[in-house]
Amino acid sequence: MKHLKSYFLLNGFGSLWIKLFSGLRVLRYATVKKVVNFCRATLEMYLKREVVGSFPFRCYIEPTNLCNLRCPFCANITRPQRESKGCMSFSLFKKIIDEISLYTFIVHLYNQGESLLHQELAKLIRYAHSKKIATHLSTNLSIKLTEQTATDILSSGLDFLIVCLEALDQETYEKYRKGGKIDVVKANIRLLNQVRRKIKSKTFLSLRVFVTRKNENKLSEIRAFGKENGFDNVIFVPMIIDFSDSTAVNEWLPLNKNFWIVSEDELNSDIENKVFCKELWNYPVFNFDGKVLPCCLVYSDKSPYGDLARQPLKEVWNNTYYRMSRRVFGGKSISKTSDVYCVQCKGALKLFKKAKAEVSDNRMQTHDKTLVSP
């Protein structure tokens, strides 16, 4: 797949060692029951079972869908379809964690908002950690942190912390991270490293960079910044761009085709996920209010697959919505008029839309060879 090729061109095959290390770190939370569930879930996924006996071994839990920034490609801006805004209560979070703790290895504590806006975030992390679940947090870090907040987060048992940043100067930074201040981000990075050393925190710190036309020639500079400022690794990720939007393509699509999320051949074909969307078997999304969605690229909560504030996960995981969604990839006939998300998507819109915009052929080859690890 093109996005995997782009990932390795940007990060080098040395990134495989980081993935292996991360996997081994998560395995610290393994139990016999979790391992058996993982094997069963993986088998059921490859067999495309419509009704499953396993439970998700990885979940997204959204602490909040509130955000301090207005990033142009964020669903909060491009598809503002969420009817409610707010933060997950601790009681609901506890209920979810208690239900999944016997089967789940890791929870990703983010979705469509900035998780640091949740006033009890450290408490959420501590509880998940106490139930032997690894925790993964992603943040724009453009909210001024106090030393106490940094200490609370880094002493909570948090396993992985990702800071998202696309530029080192304010002019370029705010073109995507609208409303953000790069000086605040840099000050917070220094504070996190100071606290991490002071309390000897074992949180793995990563810098994630979305590659766009505005920063593709500055990736070496950003990588050096990451190494100089205490990050354990720097991850470059191809930007997900709606190729049917000519304005977005012309402003944001990298000139270097190696940095595209898809190839030109894929752009000119009938894109379809011919295998499966593993999220339907492995890792669901739980919104702040308990609404269940099949993956993080479903933005509307008007027709959720379930509601964990009112029902247990075991009632949701094999309900009509999930069975019909899994049936999409099982080769069985299904009504095309169904309002189930996956019936309409079929994996084709998972990362991008079929291209309708003309993409100029006079692309400059600006691939920075220094990005590839030896």
Side-chain angles (χ1 to χ4, degrees), residues 109-110 115-116 121 135-139 153 158 160-162:
L109 294 173
Y110 56 91
S115 298
L116 288 178
L121 180 61
T135 48
H136 183 278
L137 179 66
S138 179
T139 172
I153 295 295
L158 179 65
F160 304 98
L161 175 60
I162 288 182

Side-chain angles (χ1 to χ4, degrees), residues 116 118 121-122 144-155 191-192 195:
L116 288 178
H118 195 295
L121 180 61
K144 186 173 179 57
L145 297 180
T146 64
E147 183 173 348
Q148 185 60 55
T149 299
T151 301
D152 289 344
I153 295 295
L154 292 176
S155 63
L191 177 61
L192 285 174
V195 172

